[in-house]
Amino acid sequence: MAYAMLDAVLATSPRRVPHVCVYICALHGHQRTHTHTLPLPFPLRAQSSRETKLARHDAQYAHHWHRRHGVLRHAGGRGHPRPLRPGVRGHPHPRRAGLRGRPAARVPRRRPARHGAPAGDAAALRRRRASAVRPRHEVRPRGRLDVRASAAGHRGPHRGDHRPRRPQEDGHKRAQLRRQGLHGKHLIRVRTCKPNVHAFEGKKILKRDTGRTWQADFEDALAPTWENLMRGQVNLRDAVAGTITFRDAARGGRLYKLDERTAKLFVRPRGWHLPEAHVFIDGEPAIGCLVDFGLYFFHSHAAFRAGQGAGFGPFFYLPKMEHSREARIWNGVFERAERVAGIERGSIRATVLVETLPAVFQMDEILHELRDHSAGLNCGRWDYIFSYVKTFRAHPDRLLPDRALVGMAQHFMRSYSHLLIRTCHRRQVHAMGGMAAQIPIKDDAAANEAALELVRGDKLREVRAGHDGTWAAHPGLIPAIREVFEGHLGGKPNQINAAAPPVDAAAITEEDLIQPPRGARTVEGLRLNTRVGVQYLAAWLGGSGSVPLYNLMEDAATAEISRVQNWQWLRHGATLDAGGVAVRATPELLARVVEEEMARVRAEVGAERFRRGRYAEAGKIFSRQCVAPELDDFLTLDAYGLIVVHHPRAPASKL
Ligand SMILES: CC(=O)SCCNC(=O)CCNC(=O)[C@H](O)C(C)(C)COP(=O)(O)OP(=O)(O)OC[C@H]1O[C@@H](n2cnc3c(N)ncnc32)[C@H](O)[C@@H]1OP(=O)(O)O
Ligand SMILES: O=CC(=O)O
């Protein structure tokens, strides 16, 4: 599936990207038409039998994964699950999706044709399934790519498979790796990279030179509206070409241009769980991360090659993986993209965020799968906390304390970071630290200094533990962070071959990695979670995915912590401290807290902004998610349907 989707996005095999690119250019030129029917002039490229086998294997895995998340549906056939029936969990029923249209008809199970495409009456099948999520008159003819606003009929998520691996499984994997001669060897070339700054808008790309790398985020810090995504792609294309400029009307027309020296650009595509509902490929919503990757790669690889030479970029950050098989799919995607573009194998480099609890048991395997494309691993600490709760959602003995107390000093977090460093250094790749979420406090010098001191302490811990680089949400933190890192590294580019690490990471056990965090649980914590969660969601629905709140940068990962922590406390009736009085977390308590916190937010942001923003809607969604009997896998999956443009007004046009 991944390959089929990639092919649909990349220029070569199935031939579509040029058209998508034309669309982007049109958008760049402010032609904001949302509907285009694009011709697909070339046939699918035939795959070798090995590729077909690999693709089928990965397709099954990807299907399994996406079906769990209610995102993708396949036609029936051998090796491919049957289409979901109306009434079955996960079926894109128009009424559930909030759309008008015909329900999907029952379709007989069929053998798949080559490339996993449904055989037999495939076109009719696709049309029927597509019409389940679109008004009938919008059904597209076969052999055309819809780059249009349309509804995907996404379902809320299911129980995930967040499962720490059993020790014997890991032993088995390690033995396999040893047999392949990969144990303790250098797998990967090293790149020099240092503090990351992370954000995504034209102006921010222009100001990225404070760190050595800068990350454009299509993931947690971006609300994936079609407009945001396309503008992001346009900005990236112009940034790579060196032509990007930005005139800030809010600042009297101040003009931003690229400096001569710029940071290395990394791009974080979406996680595998997120669809792209504005691009339909063969009747299916596209996989979001492949749209992000494909468009950026298509537009940038030549410029990277011209500017930096063979084997240097483009660079990616890969989020949210839970299993090394996801890394294998990425590796296949990279290899295919390099082949298609005719560039050297290993030109694309990627750092993987280890930010789920299952992934910490798979780090060697992830590095192995990415091999020539790997640039190392990164502690994605905020998502990791979120994943810890998600994984242990059913375990009352693993309740988190207040969010503010779950830092790197907690045993399970420290163990995770030490194990990541050891794993990377044994494989001769970089071990990147976590993201500092503080943002400068402009109107209070003392508070700002206290916040910077926290950042310095955190970064000193990272560099002492052996991290080779780290990142921050805001450029205002970079000088302090560089001082700490460069002071400690003393001119060395990294710590890969440093003498013994200060901690014996070899002794870290499974128990260390899952040890419950300690600290108090309070009603104030419940209030803060609610206030932050609602405000973040309101901003996200309004198109903003990176939000400064109470002097911290909030993105989807940090907002997720608020949501799942509330859910966990309510689910298990946690006892919370209310200023010396013990109270139980119940739906009634949450209802009261939501009401009071909404009033507080209203007072903080002002009645006018509150009325114009989507706060009331966000409050409802957040409350519903906190009391849901089953924990939604992702806040953003649930809310995605609300930012998809369902009804494009412009008629279909041929570019
Ligand atoms: C798990 C994870 O957490 S993934 C992390 C993903 N998070 C991100 O990518 C967040 C990135 N950060 C941001 O988006 C921003 O820093 C915010 C939204 C938090 C704050 O942005 P602002 O309100 O613009 O901050 P502020 O006004 O202090 O900015 C000061 C200057 O720095 C610039 N700036 C702020 N953040 C960045 C950034 N990340 N990269 C480049 N420049 C930046 C601003 O454009 C502004 O420039 P100007 O003075 O020339 O106009
Ligand atoms: O993605 C980064 C994180 O810390 O979460």
Side-chain angles (χ1 to χ4, degrees):
M1 190 64 199
Y3 292 128
M5 288 284 179
L6 175 72
D7 280 348
V9 176
L10 277 177
T12 45
S13 24
R15 76 272 179 188
R16 293 162 182 182
V17 156
H19 308 293
V20 178
C21 300
V22 172
Y23 177 76
I24 292 171
C25 300
L27 185 67
H28 194 36
H30 308 294
Q31 266 181 39
R32 304 254 309 275
T33 325
H34 275 285
T35 308
H36 297 289
T37 304
L38 304 170
L40 303 173
F42 313 113
L44 278 167
R45 189 172 68 87
Q47 289 173 310
S48 74
S49 63
R50 196 185 150 273
E51 279 176 319
T52 312
K53 233 163 109 186
L54 187 68
R56 198 166 286 156
H57 171 87
D58 288 342
Q60 281 168 13
Y61 175 70
H63 168 83
H64 175 69
W65 171 253
H66 284 93
R67 184 171 172 177
R68 263 180 195 287
H69 294 281
V71 173
L72 292 174
R73 292 154 199 97
H74 291 260
R78 190 162 59 88
H80 292 264
R82 292 191 319 194
L84 299 172
R85 306 265 184 254
V88 172
R89 193 173 165 80
H91 185 268
H93 194 284
R95 249 174 300 155
R96 283 208 211 125
L99 298 162
R100 272 170 293 138
R102 237 176 355 158
R106 283 181 173 267
V107 278
R109 195 173 175 185
R110 292 183 193 278
R111 288 172 70 86
R114 281 190 311 155
H115 318 300
D121 193 11
L125 170 61
R126 280 202 206 97
R127 277 198 297 274
R128 252 176 276 152
R129 292 172 64 239
S131 67
V133 292
R134 295 184 190 133
R136 284 172 73 169
H137 67 274
E138 289 183 3
V139 173
R140 304 276 105 203
R142 192 179 175 207
R144 283 164 189 271
L145 168 69
D146 283 353
V147 179
R148 52 185 286 116
S150 49
H154 305 296
R155 289 274 307 125
H158 301 199
R159 255 180 208 284
D161 58 354
H162 303 272
R163 176 181 66 96
R165 291 168 63 76
R166 293 196 302 273
Q168 63 268 34
E169 287 178 294
D170 289 314
H172 172 69
K173 273 277 170 207
R174 270 198 292 275
Q176 246 182 5
L177 219 52
R178 260 198 305 276
R179 276 200 300 280
Q180 290 160 5
L182 294 170
H183 200 68
K185 269 197 175 174
H186 297 191
L187 291 182
I188 296 133
R189 273 181 270 154
V190 179
R191 81 184 151 83
T192 49
C193 105
K194 281 292 167 49
N196 274 328
V197 183
H198 204 123
F200 199 35
E201 65 181 47
K203 182 168 80 169
K204 292 192 170 91
I205 292 182
L206 286 158
K207 292 181 62 68
R208 67 183 197 258
D209 60 343
T210 36
R212 295 222 190 133
T213 68
W214 186 89
Q215 183 173 286
D217 197 5
F218 284 97
E219 213 234 355
D220 279 353
L222 186 88
T225 62
W226 181 239
E227 181 146 350
N228 278 351
L229 292 163
M230 292 303 108
R231 284 190 187 284
Q233 289 287 352
V234 170
N235 281 336
L236 286 181
R237 188 200 57 184
D238 293 351
V240 172
T243 58
I244 188 170
T245 57
F246 178 76
R247 196 172 285 282
D248 194 348
R251 296 205 170 181
R254 182 172 160 189
L255 181 69
Y256 292 80
K257 284 196 293 206
L258 282 176
D259 282 347
E260 255 173 41
R261 193 181 65 89
T262 54
K264 285 232 181 307
L265 181 60
F266 272 65
V267 170
R268 180 161 74 164
R270 281 169 275 184
W272 286 110
H273 58 291
L274 286 169
E276 178 42 66
H278 301 93
V279 177
F280 266 66
I281 295 171
D282 294 336
E284 299 276 4
I287 297 175
C289 60
L290 295 181
V291 173
D292 303 339
F293 166 81
L295 291 179
Y296 174 60
F297 176 79
F298 176 83
H299 283 288
S300 66
H301 72 82
F304 265 94
R305 200 174 157 79
Q308 304 189 39
F312 291 96
F315 307 104
F316 295 91
Y317 252 92
L318 303 179
K320 300 271 193 300
M321 288 191 212
E322 297 193 331
H323 199 284
S324 57
R325 274 178 288 171
E326 294 168 70
R328 184 188 307 171
I329 299 175
W330 269 121
N331 197 57
V333 166
F334 293 161
E335 283 180 351
R336 179 169 292 221
E338 285 164 350
R339 236 183 3 258
V340 156
I343 62 175
E344 214 174 272
R345 187 190 161 118
S347 296
I348 298 173
R349 288 301 164 116
T351 298
V352 172
L353 281 145
V354 175
E355 54 183 356
T356 64
L357 190 60
V360 84
F361 295 88
Q362 291 264 313
M363 292 190 292
D364 280 313
E365 290 85 346
I366 289 172
L367 286 176
H368 169 64
E369 292 295 358
L370 277 163
R371 290 189 287 276
D372 294 338
H373 295 109
S374 177
L377 301 178
N378 193 120
C379 280
R381 59 185 175 192
W382 305 106
D383 260 321
Y384 192 73
I385 299 169
F386 159 46
S387 174
Y388 183 93
V389 178
K390 201 150 67 161
T391 307
F392 291 120
R393 65 184 86 180
H395 294 248
D397 55 333
R398 288 181 197 275
L399 300 187
L400 248 54
D402 281 2
R403 180 186 134 159
L405 303 177
V406 190
M408 296 309 292
Q410 295 282 359
H411 186 78
F412 82 109
M413 295 296 281
R414 213 172 42 231
S415 307
Y416 141 67
S417 128
H418 290 158
L419 190 62
L420 182 140
I421 294 165
R422 176 173 185 266
T423 309
C424 286
H425 289 178
R426 281 169 67 228
R427 308 273 174 221
Q428 295 288 299
V429 289
H430 286 152
M432 303 294 288
M435 192 265 307
Q438 285 86 350
I439 47 186
I441 308 170
K442 289 172 190 154
D443 50 4
D444 184 341
N448 191 42
E449 190 42 44
L452 272 181
E453 209 37 52
L454 285 179
V455 174
R456 283 191 200 100
D458 179 45
K459 298 304 168 190
L460 191 60
R461 174 197 56 75
E462 284 185 343
V463 74
R464 280 186 179 152
H467 278 296
D468 303 299
T470 192
W471 47 311
H474 194 285
L477 307 180
I478 298 296
I481 294 177
R482 285 184 81 153
E483 200 181 302
V484 172
F485 261 80
E486 287 169 4
H488 192 89
L489 293 179
K492 285 186 285 175
N494 56 58
Q495 310 200 74
I496 291 176
N497 294 315
V503 180
D504 184 8
I508 291 170
T509 63
E510 197 170 277
E511 198 38 55
D512 291 316
L513 293 167
I514 60 176
Q515 194 188 91
R518 302 210 170 89
R521 288 180 279 276
T522 67
V523 171
E524 199 34 59
L526 187 73
R527 287 187 180 284
L528 183 65
N529 284 343
T530 306
R531 213 157 57 238
V532 166
V534 169
Q535 289 185 84
Y536 180 77
L537 201 47
W540 193 90
L541 292 172
S544 212
S546 169
V547 190
L549 288 175
Y550 310 113
N551 304 323
L552 291 176
M553 186 282 302
E554 298 287 339
D555 69 354
T558 57
E560 286 286 25
I561 301 174
S562 299
R563 173 182 71 95
V564 296
Q565 182 166 58
N566 278 11
W567 182 91
Q568 189 194 37
W569 286 353
L570 259 70
R571 172 83 160 80
H572 299 293
T575 304
L576 307 180
D577 177 12
V581 182
V583 296
R584 234 169 99 86
T586 58
E588 293 71 35
L589 176 68
L590 181 81
R592 217 183 83 200
V593 164
V594 170
E595 200 184 318
E596 289 170 9
E597 293 310 310
M598 292 290 283
R600 179 168 167 181
V601 169
R602 191 171 193 275
E604 281 174 3
V605 302
E608 182 53 22
R609 194 170 138 204
F610 190 87
R611 195 181 55 73
R612 276 190 286 108
R614 295 176 75 171
Y615 292 91
E617 196 179 353
K620 283 193 195 128
I621 298 172
F622 188 78
S623 308
R624 191 186 69 224
Q625 289 182 336
C626 292
V627 297
E630 295 279 333
L631 179 65
D632 281 355
D633 269 353
F634 293 97
L635 168 80
T636 45
L637 255 187
D638 190 30
Y640 182 55
L642 300 171
I643 60 170
V644 169
V645 182
H646 289 297
H647 300 293
R649 293 227 177 79
S653 68
K654 284 187 181 174
L655 288 181

